[in-house]
Amino acid sequence: MERSAALLLVLALIKISCCCLEPPAAYKFTGAVCRLTYPAAAVLNEKTTEVIQAAFQHAKYPSVEGQRSIGFGTVKYGFHNLEIHNLSIGKSEFELKENEGIGISISNVSAVFKGTINYGYGSWLLDLKQSVDFEVESQIDLVINPKLYCGKGKVAADTSDCYLTFHKLKLLLQGDREPGWLKRMFTDIVTFTVKLVVKSQICKEINTVANILADFIQEQAEQFLSDGKVGVDISVTSSPIIKSNYIESYHKGLVIYNNTKTDLSTSVFNPSQLTENRMLHFWLSDGLLDPLMGAAHYDGRFIRNISGTELTDLFQTELSLAMPELLNKWLSFTGPMLIAKSVSVPHLWTTTEGTSVRAVAGVELLLDSQDMPAIYFETDVTVVVNASYAEKKLILKAIAKSIYITKISTSEGPTEMEESLRSYLQEAVEKMGIPKVISYLEPELTALMDEQGLSLFDIINPEVLPQDGYVIVQLDFGFPQHLLVEFLKRTLN
């Protein structure tokens, strides 16, 4: 019993340790990688000030109470309802510190802090209680050195290395109409308290906002890769790596279908496979793409009915072989319908030539007047596909590598025309079937990506580069303003 318990504990520890490994050990469990280069970080940094503004505005400043001995008595005071007004931020600068973190400097933060002082002065001569509204005009510089780490399977941020430098603190008591001695007495108390409270709360809030942002980005990525019952687990396998020219994160990339998750432990990833010549690089393993295609098959996404003028037009395609008389007769019937679907799990693998897909499709021709298909055949097809993306549309180019008609049957039973029918269908699959499938996939995949919000991004000159066992997608981009708006809505709510 003790041995069993010990074994379970060891297995649990192994399972936990596999969630966050050192990068070299994590590579073989990595199905997707994201490399964000310095120019991309510079674009994102343009809006850092808006995120910092959100932190200042979202921060809750607690009430503070205290007392101080002055002269022959004691001043008791309390600061309440501290709020920030007239916030403006100058500029933001950043630095990628290799193997350390990110250095962010925010300069010329101007703000007015407003609140109320409740105070009482007691001595043997005087007992005074009063409430005074106050404002503190401030000018602050802010330095943050975030560190990224692997926390609960996600990229998390630690911004505890946070400093505020106050260049200006000017106290105004009810518009400066109060007696001078009161202002002098409270200047040191108020400014010290404001410094303490603001630094504590702002740095705390920046840490909160940074982690909300990290979670938000990963949630958006998961949503983009999910549709219906099909999803992708993009939990991190290791802490992100920070180099002087890029930030790189490593993700599991496990396909989820009907709450069942695939496994991946043979990834071929190596950092040398990625360059730094574009703003954003995605590395996608065949270990992610192949199960994703399998999940689409199980979800019944590879099926199509063709009838009417669409079917008529399809068979107008010019082929080298004449249409068999039997097939021509069937098509002349009223209301024929062609149904094509994948009959076994398709498989995908990538080389420098492109992404190869092998699938077995079943095709049947139904006639209104018959219960059984006039013809049914299966074809084993291997194609090489190359993808590109331009003008917010996915473009697929497919070349047939092999086509075999593996099964054929007709409502009329064995026929002397079967061999000529087989030859005709083989050519028809290449010149009619494959282009028809591509014509469906291009708009449908584009629409799916648009539903997930891809069209909202300003994507510049994207490239899809197939390699041996993986695909690289690299691109430049403009700032995703819609994501910032959505994030700020969430944060400020």
Side-chain angles (χ1 to χ4, degrees), residues 233-251:
D233 177 3
I234 59 167
S235 301
V236 293
T237 58
S238 172
S239 295
I241 290 296
I242 297 179
K243 299 294 185 181
S244 60
N245 292 325
Y246 64 84
I247 303 171
E248 190 165 89
S249 60
Y250 311 103
H251 304 267

Side-chain angles (χ1 to χ4, degrees), residues 142-301:
L142 173 63
V143 175
I144 320 161
N145 295 301
K147 290 180 171 55
L148 303 179
Y149 65 97
C150 175
K152 297 181 180 179
K154 294 184 176 183
V155 175
D158 175 10
T159 63
S160 56
D161 190 0
C162 172
Y163 302 94
L164 274 71
T165 302
F166 291 82
H167 296 292
K168 173 186 175 183
L169 276 176
K170 182 179 179 182
L171 175 65
L172 302 172
L173 292 174
Q174 289 189 349
D176 258 359
R177 292 190 297 274
E178 289 297 309
W181 70 271
L182 184 61
K183 179 178 178 180
R184 287 193 300 272
M185 180 176 69
F186 279 116
T187 295
D188 290 342
I189 297 174
V190 173
T191 54
F192 174 79
T193 304
V194 168
K195 281 183 181 180
L196 188 66
V197 170
V198 170
K199 180 189 183 304
S200 171
Q201 292 305 115
I202 289 300
C203 288
K204 178 181 176 182
E205 191 62 34
I206 285 173
N207 194 67
T208 300
V209 169
N211 280 288
I212 291 174
L213 179 59
D215 287 346
F216 175 77
I217 292 171
Q218 288 168 102
E219 286 171 12
Q220 294 295 309
E222 285 185 343
Q223 288 176 17
F224 181 79
L225 295 170
S226 301
D227 183 61
K229 298 177 184 178
V230 182
V232 179
D233 177 3
I234 59 167
S235 301
V236 293
T237 58
S238 172
S239 295
I241 290 296
I242 297 179
K243 299 294 185 181
S244 60
N245 292 325
Y246 64 84
I247 303 171
E248 190 165 89
S249 60
Y250 311 103
H251 304 267
K252 292 179 180 178
L254 303 179
V255 176
I256 304 168
Y257 179 68
N258 267 352
N259 298 318
T260 300
K261 190 180 296 186
T262 59
D263 192 18
L264 176 63
S265 58
T266 56
S267 174
V268 298
F269 174 73
N270 189 290
S272 63
Q273 294 163 349
L274 294 175
T275 66
E276 300 169 30
N277 56 9
R278 302 297 299 273
M279 292 172 67
L280 190 60
H281 302 254
F282 294 106
W283 183 98
L284 304 172
S285 169
D286 282 357
L288 162 61
L289 300 175
D290 184 43
L292 198 58
M293 177 168 282
H297 164 80
Y298 286 121
D299 204 42
R301 302 194 179 205

Side-chain angles (χ1 to χ4, degrees), residues 258-478:
N258 267 352
N259 298 318
T260 300
K261 190 180 296 186
T262 59
D263 192 18
L264 176 63
S265 58
T266 56
S267 174
V268 298
F269 174 73
N270 189 290
S272 63
Q273 294 163 349
L274 294 175
T275 66
E276 300 169 30
N277 56 9
R278 302 297 299 273
M279 292 172 67
L280 190 60
H281 302 254
F282 294 106
W283 183 98
L284 304 172
S285 169
D286 282 357
L288 162 61
L289 300 175
D290 184 43
L292 198 58
M293 177 168 282
H297 164 80
Y298 286 121
D299 204 42
R301 302 194 179 205
F302 298 140
I303 182 169
R304 177 65 64 169
N305 298 344
I306 307 174
S307 60
T309 56
E310 184 181 10
L311 181 60
T312 304
D313 292 343
L314 180 63
F315 278 93
Q316 296 300 317
T317 305
E318 186 174 340
L319 302 181
S320 63
L321 297 174
M323 182 185 296
E325 185 179 330
L326 194 58
L327 182 58
N328 189 45
K329 181 182 76 171
W330 290 327
L331 290 172
S332 66
F333 278 60
T334 303
M337 176 184 291
L338 194 72
I339 301 175
K341 62 182 179 180
S342 61
V343 297
S344 63
V345 180
H347 288 290
L348 172 156
W349 66 97
T350 308
T351 66
T352 53
E353 185 183 9
T355 298
S356 296
V357 178
R358 181 180 180 184
V360 177
V363 182
E364 61 183 20
L365 181 64
L366 297 176
L367 307 179
D368 278 348
S369 58
Q370 296 181 355
D371 295 329
M372 298 294 292
I375 183 172
Y376 173 81
F377 70 93
E378 290 183 3
T379 177
D380 187 331
V381 178
T382 300
V383 295
V384 177
V385 181
N386 281 279
S388 58
Y389 187 80
E391 298 180 353
K392 300 190 181 296
K393 293 181 180 179
L394 179 67
I395 302 165
L396 300 174
K397 302 294 183 184
I399 298 175
K401 302 301 286 186
S402 66
I403 300 171
Y404 302 102
I405 305 298
T406 57
K407 182 187 292 188
I408 185 169
S409 62
T410 71
S411 57
E412 300 190 5
T415 170
E416 296 178 358
M417 299 180 62
E418 185 172 312
E419 196 56 41
S420 63
L421 190 59
R422 183 185 300 271
S423 298
Y424 176 85
L425 291 175
Q426 187 160 318
E427 185 180 4
V429 168
E430 178 183 2
K431 297 181 179 178
M432 294 162 48
I434 293 173
K436 193 64 177 177
V437 170
I438 295 300
S439 74
Y440 289 140
L441 287 176
E442 285 179 330
E444 290 189 4
L445 290 175
T446 297
L448 178 61
M449 291 188 293
D450 288 347
E451 285 178 16
Q452 310 298 56
L454 185 64
S455 60
L456 299 176
F457 287 86
D458 179 17
I459 296 175
I460 302 168
N461 298 328
E463 297 175 278
V464 182
L465 307 176
Q467 301 295 318
D468 292 326
Y470 60 95
V471 173
I472 294 173
V473 180
Q474 56 188 33
L475 53 100
D476 297 328
F477 63 88

Side-chain angles (χ1 to χ4, degrees), residues 26-97:
Y27 293 160
K28 67 178 182 177
F29 301 104
T30 296
V33 179
C34 175
R35 176 176 288 187
L36 186 86
T37 60
Y38 190 93
V43 168
L44 298 178
N45 182 63
E46 294 173 5
K47 302 296 182 179
T48 297
T49 54
E50 295 187 42
V51 176
I52 297 300
Q53 277 186 317
F56 271 84
Q57 292 167 342
H58 193 253
K60 306 298 182 184
Y61 302 100
S63 297
V64 178
E65 296 183 351
Q67 64 180 39
R68 178 175 293 190
S69 296
I70 298 179
F72 296 100
T74 301
V75 174
K76 294 183 178 180
Y77 57 87
F79 297 92
H80 305 283
N81 305 320
L82 189 64
E83 296 178 349
I84 191 168
H85 296 267
N86 302 331
L87 176 66
S88 67
I89 296 180
K91 64 177 181 177
S92 169
E93 296 178 346
F94 79 100
E95 176 187 4
L96 299 181
K97 299 180 178 180

